[in-house]
Amino acid sequence: MIEKVGPVPLADILAAQARLEGIAVRAPVARCEAAPDGITLDLKLESLQPISSFKLRPIGNAVLTKPAAALGEGIYTSSSGNSALAVAWMARRLGLAATAVVPEATPEAKLSGLRRLGAVIERLPFQDWWRAIETGGLPGRAGCYIDAVRDPAALAGDGTIGIEILEQCPDVEAIFTPFGGGGLACGIACAVRALKPSVKVIACEIETAAPFTAALAAGERVVIPFDPGFVSGVGFGQVLPEMWPMVGEMIDGAMTVSLDEIAGAIRTLAERNRVIA
């Protein structure tokens, strides 16, 4: 049984920062040229990580804090793509076997990246894949399961982003972050609460798949119908039970966006900032 997850202390985030030196890059911040007049909007370019995703931070720290004996049979994770890429990248770095358990609809761009890194790919129907996330692994599967959301070491890895944002943008008032499992938002919030609690952390969800927004409205976890459309990395039907109530206590608010708005944002980033995210 997976235990409830609570906030991680700043000391653990600082230790993760040191541990990830030479693995995750200190992603730069760029001014968004498309921001409305009177609004300063900066972009934290985690797309410049070696796997093009922030997931290298939580996965990297989670793997590096595991005892060596636990890694002997390799590592695996259940992921829509980016956590699996991080597991495969870490496995190659450490000389371990890696398996990526992915949903059947995983984009080919992520699958090709997994193949390039030498991971074994196991594709499952969505419900079976989601069950592996809920239970933290697959029954009878050899290897060490790496959890990118509920492992405190993963949260500490996410928290390193919060530290960097506060250093790079000392006048920041609010941080807007995608919300899938909640690890990224909560990890950043742990760092912000410790260092500059006046900064708000806002979770962003797809309006057709917004379990956190629904949970905030209800004051408890709820199961909702969901359709994330083309956005494969976030958008599920419920907040994981181990992450509630922490996400409700740590995150200052939520906003939802449409699929059209997401497509427009991707296009704007490419056209105005030359960023592919």
Side-chain angles (χ1 to χ4, degrees), residues 158-239:
D158 287 317
T160 63
I161 300 175
I163 291 178
E164 291 179 16
I165 290 174
L166 294 180
E167 293 172 346
Q168 294 166 315
C169 305
D171 297 326
V172 62
E173 297 177 348
I175 300 171
F176 294 82
T177 172
F179 187 95
L184 175 63
C186 285
I188 289 175
C190 288
V192 166
R193 289 283 181 92
L195 295 171
K196 193 176 180 180
S198 63
V199 175
K200 304 299 183 184
V201 178
I202 308 299
C204 302
E205 295 184 295
I206 307 163
E207 64 184 10
T208 54
F212 179 57
T213 300
L216 284 180
E220 61 181 354
R221 292 176 62 248
V222 293
V223 178
I224 62 167
F226 66 101
D227 178 12
F230 69 89
V231 185
S232 62
V234 298
F236 307 119
Q238 58 183 297
V239 175

Coordinates of all heavy atoms in Angstrom, one line a residue, residues 158-239:
D158 N 11.6 17.7 -8.1 CA 10.7 18.8 -8.7 C 10.9 20.1 -8.0 O 10.9 21.2 -8.6 CB 9.2 18.4 -8.5 CG 8.8 17.3 -9.5 OD1 9.2 17.4 -10.6 OD2 8.1 16.4 -9.0
G159 N 11.2 20.1 -6.7 CA 11.4 21.3 -5.9 C 12.6 22.1 -6.3 O 12.6 23.3 -6.1
T160 N 13.6 21.4 -7.0 CA 14.7 22.2 -7.5 C 14.3 23.2 -8.5 O 15.0 24.3 -8.6 CB 15.8 21.2 -8.1 OG1 15.3 20.6 -9.2 CG2 16.2 20.2 -7.0
I161 N 13.3 23.0 -9.2 CA 12.8 24.0 -10.2 C 12.3 25.3 -9.4 O 12.6 26.4 -9.8 CB 11.6 23.4 -11.0 CG1 12.1 22.2 -11.8 CG2 11.1 24.5 -12.0 CD1 11.0 21.5 -12.6
G162 N 11.6 25.1 -8.3 CA 11.2 26.2 -7.5 C 12.3 27.0 -7.0 O 12.3 28.3 -7.0
I163 N 13.4 26.4 -6.5 CA 14.6 27.1 -6.1 C 15.2 28.0 -7.2 O 15.5 29.2 -7.0 CB 15.6 26.1 -5.5 CG1 15.2 25.5 -4.2 CG2 17.0 26.9 -5.3 CD1 16.1 24.5 -3.6
E164 N 15.3 27.4 -8.4 CA 15.9 28.1 -9.5 C 15.0 29.3 -9.9 O 15.5 30.3 -10.3 CB 16.1 27.1 -10.7 CG 17.2 26.1 -10.4 CD 17.4 25.1 -11.6 OE1 16.9 25.4 -12.7 OE2 18.0 24.1 -11.4
I165 N 13.7 29.1 -10.0 CA 12.8 30.2 -10.4 C 13.0 31.4 -9.4 O 13.1 32.5 -9.9 CB 11.4 29.7 -10.4 CG1 11.1 28.7 -11.6 CG2 10.4 30.9 -10.6 CD1 9.8 28.1 -11.6
L166 N 13.0 31.1 -8.1 CA 13.2 32.2 -7.2 C 14.5 32.9 -7.3 O 14.6 34.1 -7.1 CB 13.0 31.6 -5.7 CG 11.6 31.1 -5.4 CD1 11.6 30.6 -3.9 CD2 10.6 32.1 -5.6
E167 N 15.5 32.2 -7.7 CA 16.8 32.8 -7.9 C 16.9 33.6 -9.2 O 17.5 34.7 -9.3 CB 17.9 31.7 -7.9 CG 18.2 31.0 -6.6 CD 19.1 29.8 -6.7 OE1 19.4 29.4 -7.8 OE2 19.5 29.4 -5.6
Q168 N 16.3 33.0 -10.3 CA 16.3 33.7 -11.6 C 15.3 34.8 -11.7 O 15.5 35.7 -12.5 CB 16.0 32.6 -12.7 CG 17.2 31.6 -12.8 CD 16.7 30.3 -13.6 OE1 15.6 29.8 -13.4 NE2 17.6 29.9 -14.5
C169 N 14.2 34.7 -11.0 CA 13.1 35.7 -11.1 C 12.8 36.2 -9.7 O 11.7 35.8 -9.1 CB 11.9 35.1 -11.8 SG 12.2 34.4 -13.4
P170 N 13.6 37.0 -9.0 CA 13.4 37.3 -7.6 C 12.1 38.1 -7.4 O 11.6 38.2 -6.3 CB 14.6 38.2 -7.3 CG 15.2 38.6 -8.6 CD 14.9 37.5 -9.6
D171 N 11.5 38.7 -8.4 CA 10.3 39.5 -8.3 C 9.1 38.7 -8.6 O 7.9 39.2 -8.8 CB 10.3 40.7 -9.1 CG 11.4 41.7 -8.7 OD1 11.7 41.8 -7.5 OD2 12.0 42.3 -9.6
V172 N 9.2 37.4 -8.8 CA 8.1 36.5 -9.2 C 6.9 36.6 -8.2 O 7.1 36.7 -7.0 CB 8.5 35.1 -9.4 CG1 9.0 34.5 -8.1 CG2 7.4 34.2 -10.0
E173 N 5.7 36.7 -8.8 CA 4.5 36.8 -7.9 C 3.7 35.5 -8.0 O 3.0 35.1 -7.0 CB 3.6 37.9 -8.4 CG 4.3 39.3 -8.2 CD 3.4 40.4 -8.7 OE1 2.4 40.1 -9.4 OE2 3.7 41.6 -8.5
A174 N 3.7 34.8 -9.1 CA 3.0 33.5 -9.2 C 3.7 32.6 -10.2 O 4.3 33.1 -11.2 CB 1.6 33.8 -9.7
I175 N 3.6 31.3 -10.0 CA 4.2 30.3 -10.8 C 3.0 29.4 -11.3 O 2.3 28.9 -10.5 CB 5.2 29.5 -10.1 CG1 6.3 30.3 -9.6 CG2 5.7 28.3 -11.0 CD1 7.3 29.6 -8.6
F176 N 2.9 29.4 -12.6 CA 1.8 28.5 -13.3 C 2.5 27.2 -13.8 O 3.4 27.3 -14.5 CB 1.2 29.3 -14.4 CG 0.4 30.5 -13.9 CD1 1.0 31.7 -13.7 CD2 -1.0 30.4 -13.7 CE1 0.3 32.8 -13.3 CE2 -1.7 31.5 -13.3 CZ -1.0 32.7 -13.1
T177 N 1.9 26.1 -13.3 CA 2.5 24.8 -13.7 C 1.5 23.8 -14.1 O 0.4 23.8 -13.6 CB 3.3 24.3 -12.4 OG1 3.7 22.9 -12.7 CG2 2.4 24.3 -11.2
P178 N 1.8 23.0 -15.1 CA 0.9 21.9 -15.5 C 0.6 21.0 -14.3 O 1.4 20.8 -13.4 CB 1.6 21.2 -16.6 CG 2.7 22.1 -17.0 CD 3.1 22.9 -15.9
F179 N -0.6 20.4 -14.3 CA -1.0 19.5 -13.2 C -1.4 18.2 -13.8 O -2.4 18.2 -14.6 CB -2.1 20.1 -12.4 CG -2.5 19.3 -11.2 CD1 -1.9 19.5 -9.9 CD2 -3.3 18.2 -11.2 CE1 -2.2 18.8 -8.8 CE2 -3.6 17.4 -10.1 CZ -3.0 17.7 -8.9
G180 N -0.7 17.2 -13.6 CA -1.1 15.8 -14.0 C -1.3 15.0 -12.7 O -2.4 14.9 -12.2
G181 N -0.2 14.4 -12.2 CA -0.3 13.7 -10.9 C -0.1 14.7 -9.7 O -0.5 14.3 -8.6
G182 N 0.4 15.8 -10.0 CA 0.6 16.8 -8.9 C 2.0 16.9 -8.3 O 2.3 17.8 -7.5
G183 N 2.9 16.1 -8.8 CA 4.3 16.1 -8.2 C 5.0 17.4 -8.6 O 5.6 18.0 -7.7
L184 N 4.9 17.9 -9.8 CA 5.6 19.1 -10.2 C 5.1 20.3 -9.4 O 5.9 21.0 -8.8 CB 5.4 19.3 -11.7 CG 6.0 20.6 -12.2 CD1 7.5 20.7 -12.1 CD2 5.6 20.8 -13.7
A185 N 3.8 20.4 -9.4 CA 3.2 21.6 -8.7 C 3.5 21.6 -7.2 O 3.9 22.6 -6.6 CB 1.7 21.6 -8.9
C186 N 3.4 20.4 -6.6 CA 3.7 20.3 -5.1 C 5.2 20.4 -4.8 O 5.5 21.1 -3.8 CB 3.2 19.0 -4.6 SG 1.4 18.9 -4.4
G187 N 6.0 19.9 -5.6 CA 7.4 20.0 -5.4 C 7.9 21.5 -5.4 O 8.6 22.0 -4.6
I188 N 7.4 22.2 -6.5 CA 7.7 23.6 -6.6 C 7.1 24.4 -5.4 O 7.8 25.2 -4.8 CB 7.1 24.2 -7.9 CG1 7.9 23.7 -9.1 CG2 7.1 25.7 -7.9 CD1 7.4 24.1 -10.4
A189 N 5.9 24.0 -5.0 CA 5.3 24.7 -3.8 C 6.0 24.4 -2.5 O 6.1 25.3 -1.7 CB 3.8 24.2 -3.7
C190 N 6.6 23.3 -2.4 CA 7.4 23.0 -1.2 C 8.6 24.0 -1.1 O 8.9 24.5 0.0 CB 8.0 21.6 -1.2 SG 6.7 20.3 -0.9
A191 N 9.3 24.2 -2.2 CA 10.4 25.1 -2.2 C 10.0 26.5 -2.0 O 10.6 27.3 -1.2 CB 11.2 25.0 -3.5
V192 N 8.9 26.9 -2.6 CA 8.4 28.3 -2.5 C 7.9 28.6 -1.1 O 8.1 29.7 -0.5 CB 7.2 28.5 -3.6 CG1 6.5 29.8 -3.3 CG2 7.8 28.6 -5.0
R193 N 7.2 27.7 -0.5 CA 6.7 27.9 0.9 C 7.8 28.1 1.8 O 7.7 28.9 2.8 CB 5.8 26.7 1.3 CG 4.5 26.5 0.6 CD 3.5 27.5 1.2 NE 2.2 27.3 0.6 CZ 1.2 26.5 1.0 NH1 1.4 25.8 2.1 NH2 0.1 26.4 0.4
A194 N 8.9 27.4 1.6 CA 10.1 27.5 2.5 C 10.9 28.8 2.3 O 11.4 29.4 3.3 CB 11.0 26.3 2.3
L195 N 10.9 29.3 1.0 CA 11.8 30.4 0.7 C 11.1 31.7 0.5 O 11.6 32.8 0.8 CB 12.6 30.0 -0.5 CG 13.6 28.9 -0.3 CD1 14.2 28.5 -1.7 CD2 14.7 29.2 0.6
K196 N 9.9 31.7 -0.1 CA 9.2 32.9 -0.4 C 7.7 32.6 -0.4 O 7.1 32.5 -1.5 CB 9.7 33.6 -1.7 CG 9.2 35.0 -1.9 CD 9.8 35.6 -3.2 CE 9.3 37.0 -3.3 NZ 9.8 37.7 -4.6
P197 N 7.1 32.4 0.7 CA 5.7 32.0 0.8 C 4.7 32.9 0.2 O 3.5 32.5 -0.1 CB 5.4 31.8 2.3 CG 6.5 32.6 3.0 CD 7.7 32.6 2.1
S198 N 5.1 34.2 -0.1 CA 4.1 35.1 -0.8 C 3.9 34.7 -2.2 O 2.9 35.2 -2.8 CB 4.7 36.5 -0.7 OG 5.9 36.6 -1.4
V199 N 4.7 33.9 -2.8 CA 4.6 33.5 -4.2 C 3.5 32.5 -4.3 O 3.5 31.5 -3.6 CB 5.9 32.9 -4.8 CG1 5.7 32.4 -6.2 CG2 7.0 34.0 -4.8
K200 N 2.5 32.7 -5.3 CA 1.4 31.7 -5.5 C 1.9 30.6 -6.5 O 2.6 30.9 -7.4 CB 0.2 32.4 -6.0 CG -0.3 33.6 -5.1 CD -0.7 33.1 -3.7 CE -1.2 34.3 -2.9 NZ -1.5 33.8 -1.5
V201 N 1.4 29.4 -6.2 CA 1.6 28.3 -7.2 C 0.2 27.9 -7.7 O -0.7 27.5 -6.9 CB 2.3 27.1 -6.5 CG1 2.5 26.0 -7.5 CG2 3.7 27.5 -6.0
I202 N 0.0 28.1 -9.0 CA -1.3 27.8 -9.6 C -1.2 26.6 -10.5 O -0.3 26.5 -11.4 CB -1.7 29.0 -10.4 CG1 -1.7 30.3 -9.6 CG2 -3.1 28.8 -11.0 CD1 -2.6 30.3 -8.4
A203 N -2.0 25.6 -10.3 CA -2.1 24.4 -11.2 C -2.9 24.7 -12.4 O -4.0 25.2 -12.3 CB -2.7 23.3 -10.4
C204 N -2.4 24.2 -13.6 CA -3.1 24.4 -14.8 C -3.6 23.1 -15.4 O -2.8 22.1 -15.5 CB -2.3 25.1 -15.8 SG -1.7 26.7 -15.3
E205 N -4.9 22.9 -15.7 CA -5.4 21.7 -16.2 C -6.2 21.9 -17.5 O -6.6 23.1 -17.8 CB -6.4 21.1 -15.2 CG -5.7 20.7 -13.9 CD -6.7 20.0 -13.0 OE1 -7.7 20.7 -12.5 OE2 -6.6 18.8 -12.7
I206 N -6.4 20.9 -18.2 CA -7.3 20.9 -19.4 C -8.7 20.9 -18.9 O -9.1 20.1 -18.1 CB -7.0 19.7 -20.3 CG1 -5.5 19.5 -20.6 CG2 -7.8 19.7 -21.6 CD1 -5.1 18.2 -21.1
E207 N -9.5 21.8 -19.5 CA -10.9 21.9 -19.1 C -11.7 20.6 -19.2 O -12.7 20.4 -18.5 CB -11.6 23.0 -19.8 CG -11.8 22.9 -21.3 CD -12.4 24.1 -21.9 OE1 -12.5 25.1 -21.2 OE2 -12.8 24.0 -23.1
T208 N -11.3 19.7 -20.1 CA -12.0 18.5 -20.3 C -11.4 17.3 -19.5 O -11.8 16.2 -19.6 CB -11.9 18.1 -21.8 OG1 -10.6 18.1 -22.3 CG2 -12.7 19.0 -22.7
A209 N -10.4 17.6 -18.7 CA -9.8 16.6 -17.8 C -9.1 17.4 -16.6 O -7.9 17.5 -16.6 CB -8.7 15.8 -18.6
A210 N -10.0 17.8 -15.7 CA -9.5 18.7 -14.6 C -9.9 18.1 -13.3 O -10.7 18.7 -12.6 CB -10.1 20.1 -14.8
P211 N -9.3 17.0 -12.8 CA -9.7 16.4 -11.5 C -9.3 17.3 -10.3 O -10.0 17.3 -9.3 CB -9.0 15.1 -11.5 CG -7.8 15.3 -12.4 CD -8.3 16.2 -13.5
F212 N -8.2 18.1 -10.4 CA -7.9 18.9 -9.3 C -8.8 20.1 -9.1 O -9.3 20.4 -8.0 CB -6.4 19.4 -9.5 CG -6.0 20.3 -8.4 CD1 -6.0 19.9 -7.1 CD2 -5.5 21.6 -8.6 CE1 -5.5 20.7 -6.0 CE2 -5.1 22.4 -7.6 CZ -5.1 22.0 -6.3
T213 N -9.2 20.7 -10.2 CA -10.2 21.7 -10.1 C -11.5 21.2 -9.5 O -12.1 21.9 -8.7 CB -10.5 22.3 -11.6 OG1 -9.3 22.8 -12.1 CG2 -11.5 23.4 -11.5
A214 N -11.9 20.0 -9.9 CA -13.2 19.4 -9.4 C -13.0 19.1 -7.9 O -14.0 19.3 -7.1 CB -13.5 18.2 -10.2
A215 N -11.8 18.6 -7.5 CA -11.6 18.3 -6.1 C -11.6 19.6 -5.2 O -12.2 19.6 -4.1 CB -10.3 17.6 -6.0
L216 N -11.0 20.6 -5.7 CA -11.1 21.9 -5.0 C -12.5 22.4 -4.8 O -12.9 22.8 -3.7 CB -10.3 23.0 -5.7 CG -8.7 22.9 -5.7 CD1 -8.1 24.0 -6.5 CD2 -8.2 22.9 -4.2
A217 N -13.3 22.3 -5.8 CA -14.7 22.7 -5.7 C -15.5 21.8 -4.7 O -16.3 22.3 -4.0 CB -15.4 22.7 -7.1
A218 N -15.2 20.5 -4.7 CA -15.9 19.6 -3.8 C -15.3 19.5 -2.4 O -16.0 19.0 -1.5 CB -15.9 18.2 -4.5
G219 N -14.1 19.9 -2.3 CA -13.4 19.8 -1.0 C -13.0 18.4 -0.7 O -12.6 18.1 0.4
E220 N -13.0 17.6 -1.7 CA -12.5 16.2 -1.6 C -12.2 15.6 -3.0 O -12.6 16.2 -4.0 CB -13.6 15.3 -0.9 CG -14.9 15.3 -1.6 CD -15.9 14.4 -0.9 OE1 -15.6 13.8 0.1 OE2 -17.1 14.4 -1.4
R221 N -11.6 14.5 -3.0 CA -11.3 13.8 -4.3 C -12.6 13.4 -4.9 O -13.5 12.9 -4.3 CB -10.5 12.6 -4.1 CG -9.1 12.8 -3.7 CD -8.3 11.5 -3.5 NE -8.3 10.7 -4.7 CZ -9.0 9.5 -4.9 NH1 -9.7 9.0 -4.0 NH2 -8.8 8.9 -6.0
V222 N -12.7 13.6 -6.3 CA -13.9 13.1 -7.0 C -13.4 12.5 -8.3 O -12.3 12.8 -8.8 CB -14.9 14.3 -7.3 CG1 -15.5 14.8 -6.1 CG2 -14.2 15.4 -8.1
V223 N -14.2 11.6 -8.8 CA -13.9 10.9 -10.1 C -14.7 11.6 -11.2 O -16.0 11.8 -11.0 CB -14.2 9.4 -10.0 CG1 -14.0 8.8 -11.4 CG2 -13.4 8.7 -9.0
I224 N -14.1 12.1 -12.2 CA -14.8 12.8 -13.3 C -14.6 12.1 -14.6 O -13.6 11.4 -14.8 CB -14.2 14.3 -13.3 CG1 -12.7 14.2 -13.7 CG2 -14.4 15.0 -12.0 CD1 -12.2 15.6 -14.1
P225 N -15.5 12.4 -15.5 CA -15.2 11.9 -16.9 C -14.1 12.8 -17.5 O -14.0 14.0 -17.2 CB -16.5 12.2 -17.6 CG -17.2 13.2 -16.8 CD -16.8 13.0 -15.4
F226 N -13.2 12.2 -18.3 CA -12.1 13.1 -18.8 C -11.7 12.7 -20.2 O -11.9 11.5 -20.7 CB -10.9 12.9 -17.9 CG -10.3 11.5 -17.9 CD1 -9.2 11.2 -18.6 CD2 -10.9 10.5 -17.2 CE1 -8.6 9.9 -18.7 CE2 -10.3 9.2 -17.2 CZ -9.2 8.9 -17.9
D227 N -11.3 13.7 -20.9 CA -10.8 13.5 -22.3 C -9.7 14.5 -22.5 O -9.9 15.6 -22.9 CB -11.9 13.7 -23.3 CG -11.4 13.5 -24.8 OD1 -10.3 13.1 -25.0 OD2 -12.2 13.9 -25.7
P228 N -8.4 14.1 -22.4 CA -7.3 15.0 -22.5 C -7.0 15.4 -24.0 O -6.1 16.2 -24.2 CB -6.1 14.3 -21.9 CG -6.4 12.8 -22.1 CD -7.9 12.7 -22.0
G229 N -7.7 14.8 -24.9 CA -7.4 15.1 -26.3 C -6.0 14.7 -26.7 O -5.5 13.6 -26.4
F230 N -5.3 15.7 -27.4 CA -3.9 15.4 -27.9 C -2.9 15.6 -26.8 O -1.7 15.3 -27.0 CB -3.6 16.2 -29.1 CG -3.4 17.7 -28.7 CD1 -2.2 18.2 -28.4 CD2 -4.5 18.6 -28.8 CE1 -2.0 19.6 -28.1 CE2 -4.4 19.9 -28.5 CZ -3.1 20.4 -28.1
V231 N -3.3 16.0 -25.6 CA -2.3 16.3 -24.6 C -2.1 15.0 -23.7 O -2.9 14.7 -22.9 CB -2.8 17.4 -23.6 CG1 -1.7 17.8 -22.6 CG2 -3.1 18.7 -24.5
S232 N -1.0 14.3 -24.0 CA -0.8 13.0 -23.4 C -0.2 13.0 -22.1 O -0.3 12.1 -21.3 CB 0.0 12.1 -24.4 OG 1.3 12.7 -24.6
G233 N 0.4 14.1 -21.7 CA 1.2 14.1 -20.5 C 0.4 14.4 -19.2 O 0.9 14.2 -18.1
V234 N -0.8 15.1 -19.3 CA -1.6 15.4 -18.2 C -3.0 15.1 -18.6 O -3.4 14.8 -19.7 CB -1.5 16.9 -17.8 CG1 -0.1 17.2 -17.3 CG2 -1.9 17.8 -18.9
G235 N -3.9 15.2 -17.6 CA -5.4 15.0 -17.9 C -5.9 13.7 -17.5 O -6.0 12.8 -18.4
F236 N -6.2 13.5 -16.3 CA -6.7 12.2 -15.8 C -8.1 12.4 -15.1 O -8.6 13.5 -15.1 CB -5.7 11.5 -14.8 CG -4.3 11.4 -15.4 CD1 -3.2 12.0 -14.8 CD2 -4.1 10.7 -16.6 CE1 -2.0 12.0 -15.4 CE2 -2.8 10.6 -17.2 CZ -1.8 11.2 -16.6
G237 N -8.6 11.3 -14.6 CA -10.0 11.3 -14.1 C -10.1 11.5 -12.6 O -11.2 11.7 -12.1
Q238 N -8.9 11.6 -11.9 CA -9.0 11.8 -10.5 C -7.6 12.2 -9.9 O -6.6 11.9 -10.6 CB -9.4 10.5 -9.8 CG -8.6 9.3 -10.1 CD -9.1 8.0 -9.4 OE1 -9.1 7.9 -8.2 NE2 -9.4 7.1 -10.2
V239 N -7.6 12.8 -8.8 CA -6.4 13.1 -8.1 C -6.0 11.8 -7.3 O -6.9 11.1 -6.7 CB -6.5 14.2 -7.1 CG1 -5.3 14.4 -6.2 CG2 -6.9 15.5 -7.8

